Amino acid sequence: MSTPIRRDAVENRAGILTAATAAIGHDPRASIDTIARGAGLSRRALYGHFDDRNAIVREVIAAGAARFNAIAAGIDDADSRVALARLASELWREAAHVQAAAALALDDAHLAETSAALAPLRRRIDQIVRRGQEAGELRTDLPAPTLSRLLEETGRTVVARVDAESSTAREIAVCAVLGIAGLSWTEARALLVLHPDLEMS
């Protein structure tokens, strides 16, 4: 019979992951000491929950990817432009995880792991792009794989350059993605006016 996990242990582990997500979002090479301080624990206490820094990073990647992939799976708007806008808006709501994922994606040590974990999200973006190009809703001067990659890179750049606490951050993220997808800034704004939930969802 297994021993039940104490509530404070569960809370400490969750606190470590929250602190690690924030720290890695700021610096992909954040140290164990930085993460421990963010969680309000000693280095020794942290090692009581994780064997090493890589174990923490793997769990941060898994947690973020699970959230992103679930969001992507739930996007079902018939209009590809609205689908992309909603995806960007919903992902922005997970700003801390997005920032950590973006930072880790730029860290060669975890590039392959991050890429594999986010494969379902990438597939969903590709599906939306292909459908949008076939319907004439998105730009067709670029092959679907290239446009999908540019959308991903645009999202990552916005995360790295825009203050997540800004009241206009989500709108900037959505409009940047729509711009790369082929909409003018006035068309992007008009779409947001028609779907105000995209900025508040």
Side-chain angles (χ1 to χ4, degrees):
M1 182 175 175
S2 60
T3 304
I5 301 174
R6 289 173 45 186
R7 182 176 176 182
D8 59 344
V10 172
E11 291 174 351
N12 282 346
R13 187 179 179 88
I16 292 168
L17 291 175
T18 299
T21 298
I24 291 169
H26 180 69
D27 175 9
R29 294 177 176 78
S31 68
I32 282 284
D33 289 330
T34 298
I35 294 170
R37 281 196 303 274
L41 298 172
S42 67
R43 184 186 179 106
R44 180 176 179 179
L46 184 146
Y47 280 125
H49 297 277
F50 293 94
D51 291 337
D52 54 29
R53 184 182 179 282
N54 278 335
I56 298 173
V57 171
R58 283 194 298 272
E59 196 145 339
V60 168
I61 291 171
R67 287 174 182 245
F68 303 158
N69 294 336
I71 288 170
I75 301 297
D76 60 359
D77 299 274
D79 187 319
S80 64
R81 296 164 295 187
V82 179
L84 284 176
R86 192 175 307 284
L87 181 58
S89 179
E90 290 286 337
L91 288 176
W92 190 264
R93 187 170 61 180
E94 301 289 344
H97 286 279
V98 171
Q99 288 169 335
L104 288 168
L106 298 174
D107 182 0
D108 290 340
H110 300 285
L111 179 59
E113 191 173 357
T114 304
S115 180
L118 293 173
L121 170 60
R122 287 200 173 98
R123 283 195 296 271
R124 186 68 186 116
I125 293 172
D126 190 62
Q127 289 168 354
I128 294 171
V129 165
R130 289 179 188 279
R131 176 163 55 84
Q133 288 183 326
E134 289 171 3
E137 295 164 348
L138 304 181
R139 63 190 299 174
T140 55
D141 60 321
L142 296 172
T146 301
L147 181 53
S148 296
R149 182 67 178 177
L150 284 174
L151 289 169
E152 181 184 341
E153 292 299 328
T154 298
R156 182 176 296 137
T157 299
V158 171
V159 167
R161 302 298 180 189
V162 177
D163 179 7
E165 301 301 319
S166 167
S167 60
T168 60
R170 185 173 295 178
E171 178 186 336
I172 291 171
V174 172
C175 287
V177 166
L178 291 176
I180 293 298
L183 280 70
S184 69
W185 71 269
T186 53
E187 290 171 328
R189 284 298 311 148
L191 186 143
L192 290 179
V193 169
L194 287 174
H195 301 274
D197 60 304
L198 294 176
E199 294 180 80
M200 300 180 296
S201 59

